[in-house]
């Protein structure tokens, strides 16, 4: 190796090191300003876009979630809506579950904590098998929240803390923006705002439709159903657009668990293959009086 060649190689090595350091420094400086890539397994997104009453301003962010997270968020919201909890309460519940479990139904946690809200049997929240049920856990949280005097006027983190008694009372506040977007979409204030890609159906056919219908009743109670023809699935009658989007978004959020491949409402349709919502000509129940969910 000649002296000149050795100098060239050394120079290239130095440039490589400098370049790597430069990239590292750039990443460190940009920090949260870098665009967030969708992590593997985050097959769903809840958008902060258009609402039933106004178009999107483009200012709201999207919330990426995996199938478990979005299903749990939908159940937490449905339980609250069924009880008549104001939207502020839905935000408090979602922010709490974000902080406590990342919206995952955890089998354990700190000491004897269990589930979405990390509730503890030793503190009177219920039996372990009860707390492990997302519907029971959400109901228990709302019951405790509604007993807090003046919770509606509190900051989200303060209202959550009154229920949770956490060692980190300010932690819930960092999830407020995401929770407001989710609450707005899952409560039907936004249209076509919950999108998921289902890569593999977990159930099929008539049994999948039966399980889906049972899950709907567990979350929503005594809902009105409609007959469906030429497809296997579930159809729900609705009286207003807002209720329709509550059901439609819930169906998409639970698509992975129940083998849902298509949801139609009003003039819009979601499919598992495409993952998002598109406008369609009326067919297969895509009207404003019922929400149709078709299973594999």
């Amino acid at each position: 190796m000649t002296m000149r060649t050795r100098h060239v190689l050394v120079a290239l090595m130095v440039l490589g090191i400098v370049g790597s350091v430069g990239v590292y420094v750039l990443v460190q400086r940009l920090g949260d300003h870098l665009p967030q890539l969708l992590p593997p397994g985050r097959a769903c997104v809840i958008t902060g876009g258009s609402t039933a009453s106004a178009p999107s301003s483009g200012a709201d962010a999207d919330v990426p979630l995996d199938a478990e997270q979005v299903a749990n968020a939908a159940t937490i919201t449905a339980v609250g809506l069924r009880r008549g909890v104001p939207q502020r309460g839905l935000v408090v519940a979602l922010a709490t579950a974000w902080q406590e479990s990342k919206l995952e139904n955890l089998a354990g946690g700190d000491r004897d904590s269990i589930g979405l809200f990390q509730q503890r049997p030793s503190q009177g929240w219920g039996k372990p098998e009860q707390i492990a049920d997302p519907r029971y856990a959400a109901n228990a949280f709302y019951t405790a929240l509604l007993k807090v005097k003046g919770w509606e006027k509190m900051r989200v983190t303060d209202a959550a803390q009154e229920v949770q008694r956490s060692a980190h009372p300010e932690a819930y506040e960092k999830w407020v923006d995401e929770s407001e977007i989710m609450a707005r979409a899952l409560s039907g204030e936004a249209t076509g705002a919950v999108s998921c890609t289902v890569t593999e159906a977990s159930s099929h056919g008539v049994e999948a439709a039966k399980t889906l219908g049972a899950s709907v009743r567990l979350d929503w109670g005594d809902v009105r159903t409609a007959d469906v023809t030429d497809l296997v699935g579930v159809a729900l009658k609705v009286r207003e657009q807002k209720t329709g989007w509550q059901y439609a978004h819930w169906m998409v959020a639970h698509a992975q668990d129940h083998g849902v491949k298509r949801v139609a409402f009003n003039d819009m349709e979601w499919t598992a293959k495409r993952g998002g919502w598109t406008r369609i000509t009326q067919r297969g129940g895509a009207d404003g009086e019922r929400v149709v969910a078709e299973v594999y």
Side-chain angles (χ1 to χ4, degrees):
M1 180 182 296
T2 66
M3 183 65 69
R4 180 174 181 176
T5 301
R6 186 179 293 111
H7 287 168
V8 170
L9 289 175
V10 170
L12 289 174
M13 290 174 65
V14 170
L15 286 173
I17 293 171
V18 170
S20 298
V21 171
V23 170
Y24 175 77
V25 171
L26 178 62
V27 171
Q28 289 294 96
R29 287 181 177 176
L30 287 176
D32 294 337
H33 299 292
L34 284 173
Q36 186 178 39
L37 298 178
L38 197 64
R42 298 299 175 95
C44 302
V45 62
I46 298 181
T47 65
S50 62
T51 66
S53 58
S56 171
S57 64
D60 291 327
D62 295 340
V63 182
L65 302 163
D66 63 29
E68 180 186 3
Q69 289 175 312
V70 76
N72 286 329
T75 288
I76 290 170
T77 304
V79 170
L81 290 170
R82 181 181 176 185
R83 294 187 55 162
V85 175
Q87 187 153 319
R88 180 72 170 177
L90 307 180
V91 174
V92 175
L94 290 167
T96 301
W98 258 113
Q99 173 59 28
E100 296 292 351
S101 69
K102 296 296 185 290
L103 289 169
E104 297 172 358
N105 194 23
L106 302 178
D110 180 42
R111 287 170 283 190
D112 59 337
S113 300
I114 297 171
L116 289 171
F117 297 90
Q118 288 293 277
Q119 294 155 334
R120 298 176 59 190
S122 64
Q123 293 185 343
W125 284 101
K127 297 178 181 179
E129 58 271 21
Q130 291 176 315
I131 299 172
D133 177 0
R135 297 174 184 92
Y136 176 94
N139 258 313
F141 180 85
Y142 287 124
T143 296
L145 176 65
L146 295 175
K147 291 179 180 178
V148 176
K149 186 176 180 179
W151 69 267
E152 304 96 324
K153 297 180 180 179
M154 296 179 181
R155 290 190 307 156
V156 167
T157 197
D158 294 334
Q161 175 63 3
E162 286 292 318
V163 176
Q164 298 296 106
R165 302 295 180 181
S166 170
H168 306 283
E170 290 291 322
Y172 306 104
E173 194 70 15
K174 64 185 177 184
W175 303 110
V176 171
D177 290 345
E178 291 88 342
S179 299
E180 288 179 342
I181 291 170
M182 291 191 296
R184 187 162 64 245
L186 293 168
S187 64
E189 294 289 346
T191 63
V194 179
S195 299
C196 293
T197 301
V198 179
T199 55
E200 183 178 351
S202 55
S203 55
H204 301 76
V206 175
E207 288 303 315
K210 289 181 179 178
T211 303
L212 175 61
S215 187
V216 168
R217 288 187 290 274
L218 285 172
D219 275 14
W220 293 102
D222 188 18
V223 296
R224 300 189 306 156
T225 59
D227 294 330
V228 290
T229 58
D230 301 325
L231 60 85
V232 179
V234 172
L236 304 178
K237 293 180 181 180
V238 297
R239 293 189 178 93
E240 58 181 9
Q241 294 286 302
K242 185 176 180 179
T243 304
W245 282 111
Q246 290 172 6
Y247 293 158
H249 287 156
W250 186 97
M251 292 290 189
V252 175
H254 286 271
Q256 183 71 55
D257 291 340
H258 297 295
V260 178
K261 69 175 182 179
R262 174 177 169 266
V263 177
F265 175 61
N266 211 11
D267 61 347
M268 297 188 72
E269 175 187 73
W270 166 89
T271 63
K273 182 178 181 180
R274 186 171 54 242
W277 291 85
T278 57
R279 295 196 177 278
I280 58 171
T281 56
Q282 291 192 6
R283 66 178 180 83
D287 54 49
E289 297 181 354
R290 60 179 182 168
V291 177
V292 175
E294 183 179 358
V295 301
Y296 282 97

